[in-house]
Amino acid sequence: ISSLATLYLPTVNAAIIDDGVAQGDLGRIVELGAVMLAVTALQVVCAIGAVYFGSRASMSVGRDLRSAIFHHVTGFSAQETARFGAPSLLTRTTNDVQQIQLLVQLTCTMLITAPIMSVGGIFMAIHQDAGLSWLLLISVPLLAVTNYWIVSHLLPIFRRLQRQIDGINRVMREQLTGLRVVRAFAREPFERTRFAETNSALSDTALEAGRWQALMLPVTTLVINVSSVALIWFGGMRIDAGEMQVGSLIAFLSYFMQILLAVLMATFILVIIPRASVCAERITEVLDTEPAITSRAGAARPHSIAGEIRLESATFSYEGADRPVFQDVSLTALPGSTTAIVGSTGSGKSTLLSLVCRMYDVTGGSVSVDGIDVRDFDIERLWAAIGLVPQRGYLFSGTVADNLRYGKSDADDEEMWDALRVAAADDFVAAHPDGLQMQVAQAGMNFSGGQRQRLAIARAVIRRPAIYLFDDAFSALDVHTDARVRAALRDVSADATVVIVSQRISTVAEADQIVVIDDGRVVGAGTHDQLLRTCDQYREFADSQSVNAGQP
């Protein structure tokens, strides 16, 4: 309606000049002036409404896209996450969505207007005087071709630009995360150089895109101005010949300008379309990626889980790897018992725990819980029965209580303090004036490594799971704190299945079963004393920590 009202105004203006001013009819001028004011008022109201609803639509699209990406990515396994990389996923969720959002906003407010103004302007201009319409057949195609030529050069540049935004996010993330390492090794100059190179590459690409974009306005303006001069020239000749009235020429000039300005508006959209197109491809790539780890149709949701873990000839290899991480591994971990897994670095201990909680799926053999293959479990039900403490005890920003509620959302203060006591974390939390409301910085950087691990242990303990998985979760604790935590854990996990991965012999010595993995294979299983007698690798492992010094 706003566009149609705009198209109608030059016709009213032409009538004022030809029927009012030229004839000296003041009443006709006032009458048509009132019509023009009414049409203008309608045009303004509709334009405001168009901008409001266009902005509302674009913001809603941005909100829904971000939500769709977030919920899809949270279902990714470690494999899909590693494929894209965290910096790229962050860029796609923020910068890429922002480009789509901008395109939708301009489409709703400008791109819809452009064809209405162009087609309507051509129709109204021909209605005023068909004799000058040949100018449109030259100007509009010329403008469209030149803009298409510029846009075709912008598309590959914007693809490169988005990849470089990923790159600068990656460098910034590494530098901020590894700040202590950078300073410890005095690598600030190297990191500054690395950032400067990435930053300069991004800047150069943005400038290259800017130079092509800068061509659009002068080219468009040149075509419009030359066309206007030609229109006035040939229109003046037609007026002189008595074939056209002055009002019609002014109206035709207005329509001509409206048509070319509509093309100019479309040109501005065309500047954004290449980048938005690249962003749309990148977002679609994420949304089209199906998570490898999903719940199958009819997945098992047992009412209760005892926690018996059984690996039968389990084999696993990463995608594209030359050899498996481990192969033909068989072991059983029973409820009410503690199973420890030891072995050299890179032998696949942590990966084995990842298979139990389905961060990855086995490439051969099977992993089962309570006799049900974990691939046949409903994922949420399986995860609800597991308390995982990773090697790096990651904490979320918020408070200590917020982090403990990740383990159990409805935990009360008493349950939280009980869990903290088991993890030997109650002392430093109670010593703080805020207690459970003690603030936690991003990634828990305001805590020491040992404190982070103890809070992570408390987070797992508070849910009282059927299966405890400790992935070298005691490595940052001193020997005495380690002993205290394990003693407290024995009480709360008496009926649960406990699996511990550790490099510390004192941590695993009291386990009911110790499994020794070497070069991806099980080379020994038994108690501490049995393995000292029968397993050379375990004996070497113990000797290296002087635990069995003096034994024959």
Side-chain angles (χ1 to χ4, degrees):
I1 294 172
S2 173
S3 300
L4 292 175
T6 304
L7 287 169
Y8 184 59
L9 287 174
T11 298
V12 179
N13 189 45
I16 290 175
I17 294 172
D18 294 337
D19 300 341
V21 177
Q23 304 296 328
D25 188 345
L26 183 61
R28 184 65 174 164
I29 295 173
V30 171
E31 179 186 342
L32 292 173
V35 171
M36 181 176 279
L37 286 173
V39 171
T40 302
L42 177 65
Q43 187 264 338
V44 169
V45 170
C46 291
I48 292 172
V51 172
Y52 171 78
F53 287 109
S55 300
R56 184 183 178 89
S58 66
M59 296 303 112
S60 299
V61 166
R63 176 199 63 203
D64 293 348
L65 258 183
R66 281 188 294 270
S67 176
I69 296 171
F70 176 81
H71 286 91
H72 192 68
V73 168
T74 51
F76 279 180
S77 68
Q79 182 178 333
E80 289 89 36
T81 306
R83 173 187 156 194
F84 288 103
S88 181
L89 289 172
L90 287 171
T91 304
R92 294 174 199 231
T93 310
T94 53
N95 185 274
D96 288 15
V97 170
Q98 189 176 3
Q99 299 304 319
I100 302 295
Q101 187 173 291
L102 178 62
L103 176 63
V104 173
Q105 182 174 12
L106 293 180
T107 297
C108 291
T109 54
M110 292 173 63
L111 194 59
I112 290 176
T113 303
I116 298 174
M117 297 292 287
S118 297
V119 176
I122 291 171
F123 176 80
M124 296 297 287
I126 293 173
H127 176 71
Q128 285 293 328
D129 189 358
L132 291 174
S133 58
W134 60 271
L135 280 170
L136 296 172
L137 296 176
I138 297 175
S139 302
V140 174
L142 179 62
L143 198 57
V145 168
T146 53
N147 286 331
Y148 175 79
W149 176 70
I150 294 171
V151 168
S152 65
H153 285 82
L154 280 170
L155 200 58
I157 296 173
F158 281 130
R159 280 200 181 93
R160 190 165 75 248
L161 184 70
Q162 292 305 120
R163 287 196 299 269
Q164 288 171 336
I165 292 175
D166 286 350
I168 203 166
N169 279 345
R170 186 176 297 106
V171 171
M172 281 292 296
R173 185 183 177 90
E174 288 176 355
Q175 290 177 351
L176 292 173
T177 306
L179 190 61
R180 293 181 179 179
V181 178
V182 172
R183 289 178 177 171
F185 288 92
R187 297 293 284 174
E188 291 95 335
F190 172 78
E191 291 297 332
R192 289 194 193 102
T193 303
R194 190 160 73 104
F195 178 81
E197 290 173 354
T198 310
N199 194 25
S200 297
L202 177 61
S203 176
D204 292 342
T205 303
L207 286 171
E208 184 182 356
R211 282 191 289 270
W212 280 102
Q213 287 176 304
L215 281 175
M216 278 190 164
L217 188 58
V219 167
T220 305
T221 305
L222 178 64
V223 173
I224 290 175
N225 289 339
V226 170
S227 301
S228 300
V229 170
L231 177 64
I232 293 171
W233 174 269
F234 291 109
M237 292 174 64
R238 287 179 64 78
I239 291 173
D240 191 49
E243 298 175 350
M244 188 179 188
Q245 291 183 304
V246 175
S248 295
L249 175 61
I250 293 173
F252 195 97
L253 181 60
S254 296
Y255 287 125
F256 193 71
M257 293 299 292
Q258 284 180 355
I259 294 165
L260 294 182
L261 285 173
V263 176
L264 180 60
M265 283 194 295
T267 298
F268 284 129
I269 306 294
L270 289 175
V271 173
I272 299 168
I273 285 176
R275 188 171 184 182
S277 174
V278 172
C279 294
E281 290 173 8
R282 285 158 51 88
I283 292 170
T284 304
E285 185 182 6
V286 173
L287 295 177
D288 283 349
T289 300
E290 291 297 328
I293 309 298
T294 56
S295 295
R296 296 175 178 177
R301 289 184 59 88
H303 181 69
S304 62
I305 295 177
E308 178 187 329
I309 300 171
R310 191 180 299 275
L311 277 73
E312 296 180 355
S313 302
T315 300
F316 176 77
S317 59
Y318 290 104
E319 187 176 355
D322 296 332
R323 52 175 296 184
V325 178
F326 56 80
Q327 52 189 332
D328 201 29
V329 172
S330 297
L331 64 89
T332 301
L334 298 173
S337 68
T338 299
T339 300
I341 301 172
V342 299
S344 58
T345 302
S347 59
K349 304 183 300 297
S350 297
T351 306
L352 193 148
L353 293 190
S354 297
L355 295 178
V356 176
C357 53
R358 283 202 79 192
M359 298 299 176
Y360 299 97
D361 277 339
V362 289
T363 51
S366 66
V367 179
S368 62
V369 172
D370 287 357
I372 303 172
D373 194 307
V374 292
R375 290 168 291 189
D376 296 327
F377 255 102
D378 177 80
I379 292 180
E380 297 295 334
R381 184 69 188 95
L382 176 65
W383 288 343
I386 295 175
L388 173 66
V389 184
Q391 187 172 2
R392 294 181 59 192
Y394 190 89
L395 301 179
F396 296 90
S397 55
T399 65
V400 170
D402 293 336
N403 276 273
L404 292 177
R405 289 194 179 102
Y406 267 87
K408 185 180 180 184
S409 58
D410 59 348
D412 55 31
D413 287 2
E414 184 178 350
E415 289 176 297
M416 285 190 263
W417 282 115
D418 286 342
L420 290 171
R421 275 190 287 271
V422 171
D426 57 325
D427 51 355
F428 67 86
V429 174
H432 194 275
D434 295 331
L436 292 172
Q437 300 307 312
M438 181 181 181
Q439 289 297 311
V440 178
Q442 186 177 11
M445 296 307 292
N446 57 330
F447 293 101
S448 68
Q451 289 174 329
R452 284 198 298 272
Q453 278 196 337
R454 282 182 277 172
L455 288 173
I457 292 170
R459 183 171 57 197
V461 167
I462 198 170
R463 71 191 311 176
R464 296 294 194 270
I467 300 171
Y468 287 89
L469 302 178
F470 295 101
D471 185 5
D472 208 7
F474 305 98
S475 58
L477 307 183
D478 62 81
V479 177
H480 299 296
T481 305
D482 182 356
R484 281 176 55 202
V485 173
R486 284 187 291 109
L489 276 171
R490 275 194 294 271
D491 295 332
V492 298
S493 63
D495 299 324
T497 304
V498 180
V499 182
I500 299 174
V501 167
S502 180
Q503 297 283 10
R504 185 183 290 170
I505 200 71
S506 60
T507 302
V508 305
E510 297 178 6
D512 300 296
Q513 176 186 213
I514 302 173
V515 178
V516 184
I517 297 180
D518 185 51
D519 197 24
R521 294 180 181 274
V522 175
V523 295
T527 64
H528 173 70
D529 293 332
Q530 290 170 344
L531 290 172
L532 285 177
R533 293 192 301 270
T534 61
C535 182
D536 293 337
Q537 288 86 347
Y538 186 77
R539 191 159 44 245
E540 291 173 7
F541 178 64
D543 284 340
S544 67
Q545 300 185 37
S546 301
V547 169
N548 64 329
Q551 292 191 21

